[in-house]
Amino acid sequence: MKKLLSLMGISLLALMLAVPAFAADKPIKVYINGSNVAFTAGSPYLKNNTVLVPFRVIFEKLGLNVLWDAKTGTVTGTSASLTISLKIGSSRATVNNLVKKLATAPSSISGTTYIPLRFVAEATGGTAVWDAASRSVKINTPEASDNSEQQITDLMHLSNKYFNAENAAGYYSLVVFNSVPADSVDNLKEYFKRYDMVTTIESLDILSIQGNEAVVHTVEKSVRKGGDYLPDERYEYLHTLVRKNGVWKIESSELQDSSVLLTPEQGKTAVVLPQSDASAIKDSLSKYYAARNAKNVDNTLAQLTYYGEEYEASMKDAIAEYFEAYNLTETLNSSNIFYYTPDEAAIYVEAAVKDADSGESYTQSSIFIFSKSSSGQWTIDDSYLVSYSDQK
């Protein structure tokens, strides 16, 4: 027993002697352009003469958008002109696809990923100075002044870049987390599987910047490159942006206007298809217009593609509300199938529309997208208004 107590005493003495040495080390502080950086996920620590810090807050403070890949343990910081990727346990990192060697590899402690601070600071064009006396790192960035307009412009173009690269996770990493439904990333991935559209930003105007909020107007053009059919379109959006932890992100995007980029000449260019499919498509279209003119909700619904009971119920209510609100007669003037695959078709339609209440009449041009079911029935998936003309 005495021997055991003696050993315990030696262990306790060793622990007591060790504590003051550990406690003597002050916590490491990080300053960016003179402002203290608060780390809530973990504390910076020193390893092999390298300060390692939790990655997310330092990336955001340096103006980078963050993307974390849990499967590979890779963290990526991006801006319009810079992409930095580091991987847990790897002494190699990439800066704009150029491989760089790290003095100390990133690590994971209690679920937090730590990255070498100096490397990231210098990769973003800044400087990092270690002050041993105060145990602090002072980082100065090349642009300490507020450059919100450039950051906002970079954000919008990076969002467009991620969308065209079909990077759903990257796209939503630029959106305020609280405004993103849980299944948004999966839904966007499904969209990318089905459609192949390339979007270009034709104009971008920052309408206002007030504190940590901004409003941006964009005109964007979407062009089909493959996949299921969607018409080329031009859109106008109003984007609301917010700045959190020094980084601008998209809070919401509201569609203000859209126009289909299809000329009558393109819509009237015939495509080769089996006569049986052409007849079935045009027959379904005729039944659809007949049902609308008769204000028959069930017959109108019968010409639409079935997407489940919930969808059918909502469409039924929408059609009934439309018939209640409008008293229109629509007469088919012409129709032409200009896009066709064995499972899908697009038809350009010109119809004369008369409003019985106002007496006005006009020509309405539309695109109807049809799909073919497993039973061989052609039904309407969607429709797009092309233009109104000849209003009287």
Side-chain angles (χ1 to χ4, degrees), residues 179-215:
S179 68
V180 180
D183 58 353
S184 292
V185 173
D186 290 337
N187 289 341
L188 188 54
K189 287 180 178 178
E190 289 302 314
Y191 172 91
F192 289 147
K193 287 180 182 178
R194 184 173 179 182
Y195 303 106
D196 185 8
M197 308 294 292
V198 174
T199 301
T200 56
I201 298 177
E202 295 188 324
S203 68
L204 188 156
D205 295 306
I206 301 173
L207 303 183
S208 68
I209 301 176
Q210 296 182 345
N212 290 321
E213 294 187 0
V215 177

Side-chain angles (χ1 to χ4, degrees), residues 3-273:
K3 184 175 181 181
L4 179 59
L5 290 172
S6 177
L7 289 172
M8 288 177 65
I10 292 171
S11 298
L12 288 171
L13 178 61
L15 181 59
M16 290 172 66
L17 290 173
V19 168
F22 178 80
D25 290 338
K26 298 178 183 179
I28 295 174
K29 292 187 176 182
V30 176
Y31 299 89
I32 297 180
N33 299 321
S35 298
N36 184 33
V37 179
F39 295 92
T40 57
S43 299
Y45 71 96
L46 195 62
K47 180 181 179 182
N48 299 332
N49 294 320
T50 298
V51 175
L52 290 100
V53 297
F55 76 88
R56 186 173 296 277
V57 66
I58 205 66
F59 269 7
E60 291 180 344
K61 290 293 185 182
L62 290 172
L64 299 173
N65 294 287
V66 181
L67 188 61
W68 164 248
D69 188 337
K71 291 182 179 180
T72 63
T74 301
V75 58
T76 302
T78 60
S79 69
S81 59
L82 181 67
T83 299
I84 306 173
S85 291
L86 305 97
K87 184 177 181 180
I88 294 173
S90 174
S91 60
R92 308 236 175 228
T94 60
V95 178
N96 287 343
N97 294 321
L98 295 176
V99 178
K100 304 286 185 178
K101 185 171 176 57
L102 302 173
T104 304
S107 63
S108 178
I109 301 174
S110 301
T112 297
T113 298
Y114 290 77
I115 59 174
L117 178 59
R118 180 185 294 276
F119 174 82
V120 176
E122 293 180 348
T124 57
T127 59
V129 178
W130 167 251
D131 187 334
S134 62
R135 287 178 61 81
S136 64
V137 181
K138 297 176 181 178
I139 296 173
N140 287 303
T141 63
E143 295 182 11
S145 61
D146 185 14
N147 59 346
S148 292
E149 289 192 4
Q150 186 60 53
Q151 291 174 5
I152 289 170
T153 300
D154 289 347
L155 169 66
M156 300 309 300
H157 284 287
L158 182 60
S159 172
N160 180 251
K161 177 181 176 181
Y162 278 149
F163 186 88
N164 288 334
E166 300 189 352
N167 185 341
Y171 178 83
Y172 275 111
S173 73
L174 308 181
V175 179
V176 177
F177 180 77
N178 292 338
S179 68
V180 180
D183 58 353
S184 292
V185 173
D186 290 337
N187 289 341
L188 188 54
K189 287 180 178 178
E190 289 302 314
Y191 172 91
F192 289 147
K193 287 180 182 178
R194 184 173 179 182
Y195 303 106
D196 185 8
M197 308 294 292
V198 174
T199 301
T200 56
I201 298 177
E202 295 188 324
S203 68
L204 188 156
D205 295 306
I206 301 173
L207 303 183
S208 68
I209 301 176
Q210 296 182 345
N212 290 321
E213 294 187 0
V215 177
V216 179
H217 175 266
T218 60
V219 176
E220 304 174 24
K221 181 180 179 181
S222 178
V223 176
R224 178 178 178 270
K225 297 299 182 182
D228 288 354
Y229 180 80
L230 284 179
D232 298 347
E233 289 190 87
R234 180 172 283 111
Y235 305 97
E236 289 188 39
Y237 286 101
L238 270 186
H239 309 273
T240 301
L241 278 59
V242 294
R243 178 164 49 186
K244 292 196 173 186
N245 297 321
V247 177
W248 287 100
K249 291 199 173 186
I250 301 168
E251 185 174 55
S252 64
S253 298
E254 296 182 8
L255 180 65
Q256 301 297 298
D257 194 15
S258 65
S259 57
V260 173
L261 303 177
L262 183 83
T263 66
E265 292 74 23
Q266 291 171 324
K268 293 176 180 179
T269 300
V271 68
V272 177
L273 74 159

